């Protein structure tokens, strides 16, 4: 079975979580992890599972304006943040806009700051909604992985992502 993890990432945190999810899925799937800018429709055409995630920006999924703000914020010398090569986009919203319908199993994730989703927002909710709109069969609750106020992954989040994905894989193979 074949799984594809599609991620969007400005500072690399969601990218790292995507790689960890890929490692967790390898328990049951042959896995490909791709940036949203490389996820042409043919990349997911023969997938048995698609896992999609991005950073939470202004309470939801990124937009061109928030990606630009993220790149500008990284220009400040204090933070020491490095920007991913394709950070300015296109992002997940654009990707969904160019996508047809896929009756394929799927799940969503995001990265966000600590705190209740009512306060921080949560990109994975929007990703889940768009997955459903495109005919995907969403098989798991959306999951969030946490970053610090300095936009660094919290310790253990990559381990948690690997475990989450391994459980997702086990649930699919046993059903
Ligand atoms: C423009 C901008 C807006 C953000 N808005 C939120 C927000 O509303 N809620 C939140 O939890 N985190 C917010 N963040 C923090 C991001 O969620 C965090 O930078 C992201 O998860 C890091 O992932 P990445 O390294 O893959 O880009 C924001 C970050 C930026 C740059």
């Amino acid at each position: 079975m074949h799984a594809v993890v599609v991620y969007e990432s400005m500072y690399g945190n969601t990218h790292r979580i995507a790689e960890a999810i890929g490692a967790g899925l390898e328990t049951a799937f042959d896995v490909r992890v791709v940036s949203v800018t490389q996820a042409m429709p043919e990349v997911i055409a023969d997938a048995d599972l698609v896992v999609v995630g991005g950073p939470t920006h202004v309470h939801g999924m990124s937009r061109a304006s928030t990606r630009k703000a993220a790149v500008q914020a990284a220009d400040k010398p204090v933070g020491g943040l490095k920007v991913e090569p394709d950070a300015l986009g296109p992002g997940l919203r654009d990707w969904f806009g160019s996508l047809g319908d896929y009756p394929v199993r799927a799940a969503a994730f995001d990265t966000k700051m600590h705190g209740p989703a009512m306060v921080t927002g949560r990109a994975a909710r929007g990703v889940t909604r768009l997955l459903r709109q495109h005919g995907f069969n969403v098989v798991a609750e959306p999951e969030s992985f946490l970053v610090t106020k300095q936009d660094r992954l919290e310790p253990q989040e990559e381990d948690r992502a690997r475990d989450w994905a391994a459980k997702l894989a086990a649930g699919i193979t046993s059903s």
Side-chain angles (χ1 to χ4, degrees):
M1 293 215 291
H2 179 49
V4 181
V5 184
V6 179
Y7 69 88
E8 177 194 321
S9 186
M10 306 293 117
Y11 303 138
N13 298 293
T14 318
H15 184 173
R16 280 169 59 192
I17 292 295
E19 296 288 351
I21 288 172
L25 293 176
E26 273 174 3
T27 49
F29 291 88
D30 149 41
V31 180
R32 187 162 171 198
V33 180
V34 283
S35 158
V36 62
T37 58
Q38 307 296 316
M40 307 316 161
E42 56 271 23
V43 173
I44 61 165
D46 65 343
D48 301 290
L49 171 69
V50 179
V51 184
V52 182
T56 301
H57 278 184
V58 196
H59 300 274
M61 295 169 71
S62 83
R63 296 177 184 277
S65 59
T66 66
R67 290 195 293 277
K68 199 168 157 204
V71 171
Q72 282 167 353
D75 277 345
K76 293 182 190 146
V78 277
L81 289 168
K82 285 215 176 75
V83 173
E84 294 265 302
D86 45 10
L88 281 173
L92 287 173
R93 281 180 203 270
D94 312 288
W95 182 69
F96 275 111
S98 69
L99 218 58
D101 274 14
Y102 292 85
V104 173
R105 290 187 192 92
F109 69 98
D110 63 31
T111 53
K112 71 178 212 38
M113 289 187 196
H114 261 286
M118 266 179 67
V119 177
T120 63
R122 210 180 170 197
R125 193 170 291 153
V127 174
T128 300
R129 190 178 60 247
L130 287 171
L131 284 168
R132 290 207 170 103
Q133 278 177 16
H134 285 270
F136 288 91
N137 170 20
V138 177
V139 293
E141 289 298 313
E143 186 61 55
S144 292
F145 299 95
L146 302 179
V147 299
T148 66
K149 285 183 182 148
Q150 291 75 35
D151 288 303
R152 311 279 183 199
L153 272 185
E154 292 275 353
Q156 310 305 320
E157 290 301 82
E158 283 169 283
D159 288 346
R160 202 164 67 74
R162 205 173 299 115
D163 292 348
W164 176 76
K167 279 190 196 121
L168 176 63
I172 291 170
T173 50
S174 68
S175 64

